[in-house]
């Protein structure tokens, strides 16, 4: 029930999360954004996921995710008043652990293909039935 609520309402500022986990290390500035190498283990940050300093001060939001899936980076659209150029290379950035997705969502998986095989079986049965109806 609660998942659908909040849509259409004004953007109320969210407070700091209960905890943050290390999300990445800064690489460089690009077009007023901060490019970071992701250090999350088996998770991927949400698009628009809030990015913080270790003290839970929000610095911006995830804008783009780029690079190979086993060594990807993300860009951070800086919050008003924050300058991407003020971060030194190798600085750590943090994310709310509730704003990450499991890496498995982005990988092909054998467990996922098994249900689709049973789905194909159902599809064939439907196909046969449709064929009989046409004849």
């Amino acid at each position: 029930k609660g998942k659908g609520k909040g849509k259409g309402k004004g953007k109320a500022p969210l407070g700091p999360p209960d905890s943050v986990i290390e999300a990445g290390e800064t690489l460089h500035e690009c077009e007023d954004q901060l490019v970071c190498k992701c250090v999350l283990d088996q998770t991927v940050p949400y698009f628009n996921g809030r990015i913080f300093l270790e003290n839970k001060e929000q610095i911006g939001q995830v804008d783009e995710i780029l690079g190979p899936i086993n060594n990807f980076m993300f860009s951070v659209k800086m919050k008003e008043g924050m300058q991407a150029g003020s971060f030194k290379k190798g600085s750590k950035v943090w994310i709310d652990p509730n704003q990450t997705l499991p890496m498995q969502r982005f990988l092909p998986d054998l467990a996922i293909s098994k249900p689709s095989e049973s789905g194909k079986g159902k599809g064939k049965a439907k196909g046969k039935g449709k064929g009989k109806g046409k004849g």
Side-chain angles (χ1 to χ4, degrees), residues 4-127:
K5 290 186 178 181
K7 290 183 181 179
K9 291 184 181 180
K11 286 188 177 181
L14 296 169
D18 294 333
S19 65
V20 289
I21 56 174
E22 188 178 337
E25 294 179 0
T26 58
L27 295 174
H28 54 83
E29 174 189 10
C30 181
E31 297 182 3
D32 299 326
Q33 293 193 1
L34 192 59
V35 179
C36 303
K37 178 184 183 335
C38 188
V39 299
L40 291 169
D41 187 38
Q42 300 300 311
T43 57
V44 177
Y46 279 11
F47 285 106
N48 295 322
R50 298 185 303 155
I51 298 294
F52 300 90
L53 298 174
E54 190 173 8
N55 66 3
K56 299 182 185 176
E57 179 186 356
Q58 185 176 344
I59 61 168
Q61 294 182 310
V62 174
D63 187 50
E64 296 283 345
I65 297 175
L66 51 140
I69 197 158
N70 60 349
N71 189 21
F72 66 92
M73 297 166 277
F74 59 90
S75 65
V76 179
K77 184 176 181 182
M78 304 307 290
K79 189 176 171 186
E80 197 172 315
M82 291 285 180
Q83 298 292 322
S86 66
F87 290 85
K88 293 180 183 173
K89 183 176 179 173
S91 299
K92 295 182 186 314
V93 294
W94 306 74
I95 192 167
D96 179 347
N98 294 323
Q99 293 192 324
T100 62
L101 291 169
M103 179 69 80
Q104 287 303 109
R105 280 234 180 140
F106 303 94
L107 300 173
D109 188 25
L110 296 175
I112 292 172
S113 65
K114 285 180 183 174
S116 68
E117 286 173 14
S118 64
K120 285 179 187 174
K122 289 178 184 174
K124 286 178 185 175
K126 287 179 183 175

